[in-house]
Every structure is written in C-alpha cells, then in structure tokens.
Amino acid sequence: MMTPRKVLVVEDEKSMQILLLHVLSGAGYAVTLATNGLEAKQFLAKEYFDLICSDVMMSGVDGIELCTWVKSQDTMNAVPFVILSSCAQLAEIADGYKAGADYYLTKPFHMRNLLSVIATALVRESMC
Amino acid sequence: MVTSLKARELMYTALLQQIIDKHYRAGDAIPPEIVRLFADIDLAFRDREPGRARDREDQDLNQETDFIKQDVDPTPTHIRAKDEDDAVIVERDVRMLNQKLLDANTLLTSERDRQNEHVRMLEDLTQMKSDFVSSVSHELRTPLASILGFIETILIDPEMLWETEREFLGIIFNESQRLAKLINDLLDLSRIESRHVEIEKTETNIVPIISHAISLVITEAENKSITLTSTCEHPALIARFDKERMTQIIINLLSNAVKFTQDGGAVAISSGIIDGCLEVTVKDNGMGIPASDIQFIFTKFFRVYRPRLQIRGTGLGLAIVKHLVELHGGTIHAESEEAKGSIFTVRIPI
C-alpha cells in the first residue's frame, strides 16, 4: 500500500477547515491543518508536504505572502501551491499567480474540481 | 513695439479666448465675469477708434490674427495715437484691461482647481464603489463556498454517517444565516438611503434594550475573551425612540467594538439622560481609528485599511447606524486614538 500524500491546508475559516479536512482525508490524503500563514510556515519548516492548499485573506501572514515565501525556499519551491480564495477579481487572481501559485480556485468551487486539481498537481510534480 | 489699436483689441480677445480654451471644454458654463470682459474690451477700443467700420474689421482680420499668433507680451509699451493726451488715456485703459485679464486668469485658475477637485472626488467615489462591490462579492462567496461545498459532499456520499450529515447541515444552516444577514444589511441601507424607512417612536425604557443587545453579541465577545460591561445611570431611562431600530444601532456599535478589539480586551456601554438627550456611549480599548480616517468612518463603503487583518464587514454598519440615529433627530460622534481604543456616543432627544 502506498503511503498517503501529505497535504497542508491553510485556512482560518472554521467551516471551511471542517469541509477541507473531511473531503481531503476522505480522498485518502494525510491532512495537516494550519489556521494561518505563520502557523503554516512553522509546519513547513519542520516537515515536508507534497502539496499546500491555502486561503488568501488571513491575519498575520496571508496566503500570498506564504506562497511567495514557499516559492523562494530551495527546499520546497517545487511543492505545488493551490490557492483557494473568495478574492475573485482578475487583479487578485493575478496576484496569486505572480506570487508563484500553481493553481488558483475561486470560492465557491466544486469539491470534485479541487480533488482533480490536487491529483493533477501531484502527478505533474512527480514527473518533473 | 508699435501696433494699431485694432491689433491690440484682437490680441486681447484672442488672449482671453486662449485662457478659456485652456480651462474649459465645449459645453462648460463660462462664468459671466469672463463673458463681460469681452464686452469691456470691445467697448474700450470702440471709444478710442470712433470711425471704424464693420467691413474694414473683416478685411483686417486675417493679417492681424497673424500678428496675434506671435504671442506678444501684452504690456503696453507705446501706442500710436493722434496726440499725447489721447495716448495717455489709451495707455491707462490698456493697463486696466491687463489687470482685468490677470483677474480673469486668477478666477479661471481657481475655477479649474475646483473642477479638478470635483473630478478627484468622483474618481474616489468610483473607486469606493468598486471596492465595495469587490468586498460584497468576497463576503458573499465565503459563506457560499461552505454551503455549496458541504451540500456537494453530502450528495456525493450516500454512505455518510447520519451524525456527520447532521453536523454538516448545522454548518450549512449557520452559513446561510450569515448570507441572509449580509443581504439584509445591503437592502436595509438601500431602503434607508431611498427614505423608505419609517421610524416609530414610542416611550420606551432603554435599559432592557441594551441588555437585549448585549445578549446578542455576548457570544462574539466571549469567543475573544472580551469583557463586556454595562453601566446605567438608572434602572429605567425612558425616551422616545423606535425600539427595533434602537436595538439595531446598539447591536451594531457593540459588535463593531468587539470586532475591533483584540482578544482579552474590554468593551463598555453606558447610558444616561444628559441635557434633554438620551445618551448611549460604547467604549472599547481596541485598535482604534487613525486620526486621518475618523472623518470618513460613517461614509458607506469606507473601511479603514488594515492590512492582513481579516475583519468581516461590508463597510455598511456605521453608515446604517448614522442614518438611523439621524432619523431619530439625534447625533452620533466618534472619538478615537490608534491602539488605545474608540468611543462612540449616540445622543437622541427625549
């Protein structure tokens, strides 16, 4: 049996945390939850994750800042970074991609979409 | 430089026209002072040159406008006249006209600045509107993402445990309520602004209204370990106000205070009758409002820029509160110091 891929979820919204935990664990991923960008950095400094799913608007270190930081680290710049955000304006989405995000899903999104994005990202990463 | 009076006149008229072209677009109203200047120029020169005829004027026009294009210093140096006295008079009049042109220029400049200011204000307003749309869109998307996500999750999993499904339904319910509140706020403000709101004033005791409002925000406060205290001058403070709207005002101020106060802070509400007015004060020791922003906080769509601080809201709360207080014939006043806290005082005539 394959060891489950490790996904770091960064989300400050309680209901969204419950939803993502349920859906991603249900799909067989090993999910770790960080409630803001700073907490996510602490997790990332300690262990390796296969993929990061992050919200944008969070107090302290926000999703964009987190993404920029992740993509600037030699040890983790290849880790796929998926942004999940209610910020749906073109300029906001552009900010996400400029920060180095691999995918940007605007809320609300379909759970099956999220799952296929994650699966695709993981396959692409393993091929690189 | 020796020039004919006719050339002088045309030069002045052209200069005036240049000023107007520079400051106004087609269709703009030209201030009457400027229009009058044209007549003044015409009059002044006609007096000096009594014999001139209309057809000659047209003939001379082409050759003389060429002269005007040379952008000549309009200060009179020497003017050809029949005799010395006449020359003195002409020079005096020309000097007077020069002064008038300078005045006109000052007037036009200030008018232009005023128009620019107006344009800037409209641009700010447009920006505020688009920020507002973006903010509303964000606020609508967040609960909707949960609602749709949980429903999808329940639907695609026929084997979901009954308890899990119940838990998810509870979340869907709460998030839907959040959406409903946002929509209500939006509609409320729009109704208030189009004056479709009636205030029903009755003699009411404010004390139970405050207690009721506190009971509605206490969970919010407790979640952030904020102490919420109420002091009241008297167990019964009777004034004339709309019960529901007053509750709305107080809830709004209290929940704002809780929202903008860090964990472990304190919010206090007090009430009393002062100078024939019912006075309700909400005080917090939260993050406060920058001095440069305080004048805008009651403006709808306005939100103090707080980078990286996720605070829910649409920028409508205080705008609604101010409208409601004013519908009661009252006033609202805000005082604040950054990082120290804010005080909001509502006064409503008894």
Side-chain angles (χ1 to χ4, degrees):
Chain A
M1 197 168 153
M2 249 175 74
T3 43
R5 311 298 295 268
K6 286 168 73 181
V7 174
L8 177 66
V9 168
V10 194
E11 171 67 64
D12 62 349
E13 188 77 26
K14 187 84 189 139
S15 57
M16 212 57 199
Q17 292 170 355
I18 298 172
L19 180 64
L20 292 171
L21 263 173
H22 179 89
V23 171
L24 297 181
S25 329
Y29 296 107
V31 185
T32 303
L33 178 75
T35 57
N36 58 57
L38 196 68
E39 216 179 285
K41 272 184 164 181
Q42 289 162 355
F43 280 123
L44 286 161
K46 273 185 288 186
E47 53 185 307
Y48 182 83
F49 289 90
D50 295 294
L51 185 136
I52 301 159
C53 263
S54 175
D55 186 19
V56 170
M57 296 242 291
M58 292 176 293
S59 58
V61 176
D62 68 18
I64 300 290
E65 216 179 316
L66 177 66
C67 185
T68 312
W69 180 78
V70 165
K71 294 296 175 183
S72 69
Q73 305 293 306
D74 292 340
T75 50
M76 57 182 98
N77 59 14
V79 175
F81 199 103
V82 181
I83 288 181
L84 310 172
S85 175
S86 294
C87 302
Q89 301 225 329
L90 217 53
E92 295 167 322
I93 297 172
D95 283 345
Y97 283 115
K98 270 185 231 158
D102 299 271
Y103 296 91
Y104 192 116
L105 295 188
T106 55
K107 292 178 186 173
F109 52 84
H110 281 291
M111 292 306 130
R112 57 165 187 276
N113 246 355
L114 174 66
L115 291 176
S116 72
V117 159
I118 291 177
T120 313
L122 287 173
V123 169
R124 273 177 56 174
E125 197 250 325
S126 62
M127 287 192 313
C128 287
Chain B
M1 191 176 302
V2 179
T3 63
S4 74
L5 283 175
K6 176 74 184 129
R8 277 271 170 206
E9 179 186 359
L10 282 174
M11 189 178 75
Y12 281 116
T13 315
L15 274 174
L16 204 50
Q17 193 59 53
Q18 269 173 24
I19 293 172
I20 288 171
D21 291 345
K22 196 169 141 200
H23 295 283
Y24 290 89
R25 263 170 278 175
D28 285 350
I30 312 285
E33 292 89 328
I34 307 295
V35 177
R36 215 173 299 129
L37 269 171
F38 276 111
D40 283 353
I41 291 174
D42 190 47
L43 262 178
F45 283 94
R46 181 161 308 176
D47 288 354
R48 295 296 125 215
E49 226 175 344
R52 76 177 191 194
R54 271 227 155 256
D55 46 343
R56 213 197 99 204
E57 207 174 305
D58 290 339
Q59 269 173 18
D60 290 352
L61 204 64
N62 285 335
Q63 69 181 90
E64 295 198 350
T65 39
D66 286 345
F67 161 77
I68 290 155
K69 280 182 195 142
Q70 293 166 16
D71 205 3
V72 176
D73 174 14
T75 324
T77 44
H78 177 79
I79 292 165
R80 193 199 300 159
K82 286 202 188 85
D83 52 53
E84 279 296 299
D85 285 351
D86 210 12
V88 170
I89 292 166
V90 169
E91 245 188 79
R92 191 197 61 204
D93 282 3
V94 168
R95 209 173 293 123
M96 193 183 74
L97 270 170
N98 264 330
Q99 189 51 50
K100 284 199 174 186
L101 271 177
L102 285 176
D103 293 348
N105 200 18
T106 314
L107 191 81
L108 284 164
T109 308
S110 76
E111 176 70 10
R112 182 201 53 198
D113 292 347
R114 214 172 56 86
Q115 295 291 347
N116 283 347
E117 187 54 40
H118 190 65
V119 168
R120 239 188 322 272
M121 203 192 76
L122 287 175
E123 279 168 357
D124 285 354
L125 204 65
T126 312
Q127 184 56 43
M128 259 153 72
K129 273 213 146 132
S130 91
D131 288 353
F132 170 73
V133 169
S134 149
S135 155
V136 166
S137 146
H138 182 271
E139 295 300 312
L140 289 171
R141 278 168 191 282
T142 303
L144 207 54
S146 289
I147 294 169
L148 290 172
F150 279 110
I151 292 176
E152 190 188 340
T153 308
I154 292 171
L155 283 178
I156 57 171
D157 184 3
E159 280 154 38
M160 185 179 277
L161 291 174
W162 174 237
E163 300 83 69
T164 315
E165 199 176 313
R166 292 281 302 175
E167 185 201 343
F168 287 2
L169 284 172
I171 298 174
I172 293 170
F173 181 71
N174 287 337
E175 294 293 317
S176 306
Q177 278 185 317
R178 203 170 115 191
L179 260 188
K181 189 190 174 309
L182 175 68
I183 294 163
N184 281 339
D185 270 6
L186 280 169
L187 288 180
D188 213 16
L189 183 71
S190 133
R191 264 201 306 269
I192 292 168
E193 284 191 328
S194 53
R195 298 179 204 291
H196 285 300
V197 166
E198 301 241 325
I199 292 290
E200 266 181 66
K201 284 195 199 173
T202 47
E203 300 247 316
T204 318
N205 182 4
I206 189 78
V207 180
I209 301 279
I210 292 178
S211 311
H212 176 57
I214 289 178
S215 74
L216 293 174
V217 296
I218 193 84
T219 337
E220 238 178 294
E222 279 172 357
N223 284 342
K224 293 178 76 180
S225 316
I226 288 171
T227 355
L228 194 55
T229 51
S230 166
T231 41
C232 197
E233 215 178 54
H234 206 269
L237 285 175
I238 313 290
R240 282 178 58 79
F241 56 82
D242 186 308
K243 233 164 134 175
E244 248 174 67
R245 293 306 187 173
M246 192 51 134
T247 312
Q248 195 183 349
I249 293 169
I250 295 170
I251 290 173
N252 237 310
L253 291 177
L254 282 176
S255 97
N256 256 358
V258 170
K259 216 188 280 183
F260 295 104
T261 298
Q262 292 87 340
D263 292 10
V267 172
I269 178 165
S270 58
S271 53
I273 305 282
I274 294 156
D275 300 332
C277 278
L278 168 67
E279 194 177 280
V280 178
T281 305
V282 175
K283 193 177 165 186
D284 65 63
N285 63 357
M287 55 193 75
I289 304 154
S292 55
D293 284 345
I294 202 150
Q295 53 172 322
F296 302 117
I297 56 168
F298 295 108
T299 314
K300 68 174 171 174
F301 311 154
F302 181 81
R303 297 176 82 186
V304 174
Y305 179 63
R306 300 186 195 279
R308 305 212 184 87
L309 213 60
Q310 196 199 22
I311 290 174
R312 288 198 177 288
T314 51
L316 298 181
L318 282 178
I320 293 178
V321 165
K322 184 166 198 275
H323 278 295
L324 291 177
V325 169
E326 283 169 358
L327 281 170
H328 279 88
T331 57
I332 181 159
H333 176 74
E335 267 174 75
S336 186
E337 198 177 330
E338 240 187 316
K340 290 267 172 68
S342 310
I343 305 171
F344 285 83
T345 310
V346 172
R347 280 192 197 90
I348 281 169
I350 317 174

